[in-house]
Amino acid sequence: MPENTTIALVDDHVLLRKGLASMLVNEGYNVLFQADDGEDFLRQLAGHSDPDLVLLDINMPKKDGYETALWLKRNKPEIKILALSMYDGENSIIRILKNGARGYILKDSEPSDLKNAIESVLTKGYYYSDMITGKLLFTIQAMDEESGQPGSSTSLNEKEISFLKLVATELTYKKKAKKMFLSPRTIDGYRDDLFEKLNIKSRVGLVLYAIRNGIVRV
């Protein structure tokens, strides 16, 4: 499958990027071009055919991964984005997913994990590693993309939907509680109930569920 897949690399760490490019070529992928940052990527993109996938670093000195992903989402949504990061902070992951990335992977991942992530984005349309499991994965795969509605196996009440909308913001749980006119303890209860109901392990997973099911518009 990889031999006809074209990939662009965007990362300001030259040694890491070149090593990554070499690994991808060895795996049979076609590395279309490499860029130092978002601005360099957009310049080069204008002179090349569109890649199938962009491996996009999040933190770069000029146009960073967030800005670049958002530009691609608005102008070339057919190009799939797999974000690269040194860190797995929730806010960073949520922000890059909302800006159009189909998944993210840490830079210290094993080569086999990276290949799996690339193939997952290309074939399934997403890669979220262990952030989603069980029922959530089934819901995403079975969901009608056009309707943007949750699968029929999961029913959420109005309060749970309101909570999910707030989870996608950077508000603290105390401020979320204030917005919903509830106590922080009650808000914690909503979170824990949704973790169990949706078989999700983290806030990132909740946000992802909300995005994929049209509860949060991106």
Side-chain angles (χ1 to χ4, degrees):
M1 177 181 291
E3 61 185 22
N4 295 319
T5 299
T6 55
I7 295 178
L9 296 178
V10 189
D11 195 317
D12 62 314
H13 294 94
V14 179
L15 286 177
L16 186 149
R17 190 183 72 228
K18 288 185 179 296
L20 186 57
S22 177
M23 186 195 76
L24 291 171
V25 170
N26 288 339
E27 289 289 345
Y29 296 102
N30 177 11
V31 177
L32 201 58
F33 61 89
Q34 301 178 43
D36 293 321
D37 52 53
E39 289 184 2
D40 186 29
F41 167 72
L42 293 182
R43 280 195 300 269
Q44 293 197 57
L45 184 63
H48 288 84
S49 57
D50 291 348
D52 296 310
L53 180 139
V54 176
L55 279 175
L56 181 65
D57 187 17
I58 291 180
N59 297 304
M60 294 179 289
K62 293 183 180 179
K63 186 184 286 290
D64 63 19
Y66 303 116
E67 293 177 272
T68 307
L70 190 58
W71 186 93
L72 285 170
K73 178 183 174 182
R74 290 171 174 170
N75 296 277
K76 290 184 176 288
E78 69 281 359
I79 298 177
K80 295 178 174 65
I81 303 167
L82 179 61
L84 294 168
S85 178
M86 288 292 293
Y87 312 104
D88 58 354
E90 284 189 344
N91 287 336
S92 295
I93 296 167
I94 290 167
R95 186 178 173 192
I96 196 68
L97 293 177
K98 289 176 72 175
N99 280 18
R102 302 297 187 93
Y104 87 101
I105 189 166
L106 296 178
K107 289 184 178 181
D108 61 358
S109 297
E110 293 292 329
S112 58
D113 291 333
L114 175 61
K115 184 176 181 180
N116 179 50
I118 291 171
E119 293 305 309
S120 182
V121 168
L122 292 171
T123 58
K124 299 178 183 178
Y126 60 86
Y127 173 75
Y128 300 120
S129 63
D130 60 357
M131 284 194 299
I132 55 173
T133 57
K135 185 187 292 185
L136 179 58
L137 182 59
F138 174 80
T139 300
I140 289 173
Q141 290 175 331
M143 189 183 78
D144 180 350
E145 290 286 345
E146 293 302 316
S147 66
Q149 297 300 315
S152 59
S153 61
T154 303
S155 59
L156 303 178
N157 61 42
E158 187 177 339
K159 287 288 187 182
E160 289 170 332
I161 290 172
S162 296
F163 174 73
L164 281 175
K165 289 178 179 178
L166 289 174
V167 166
T169 71
E170 296 186 8
L171 294 174
T172 64
Y173 276 99
K174 186 175 181 180
K175 289 182 178 178
K176 289 181 177 71
K178 189 175 181 180
K179 284 269 189 183
M180 293 184 69
F181 304 102
L182 297 171
S183 70
R185 180 173 294 182
T186 302
I187 286 291
D188 286 342
Y190 279 126
R191 178 198 60 204
D192 294 341
D193 287 347
L194 284 170
F195 280 165
E196 183 175 354
K197 190 173 190 177
L198 302 175
N199 194 16
I200 293 173
K201 300 177 181 179
S202 68
R203 175 181 166 226
V204 172
L206 290 178
V207 174
L208 175 59
Y209 178 88
I211 292 171
R212 295 289 298 182
N213 287 275
I215 294 170
V216 173
R217 298 295 176 185
V218 297

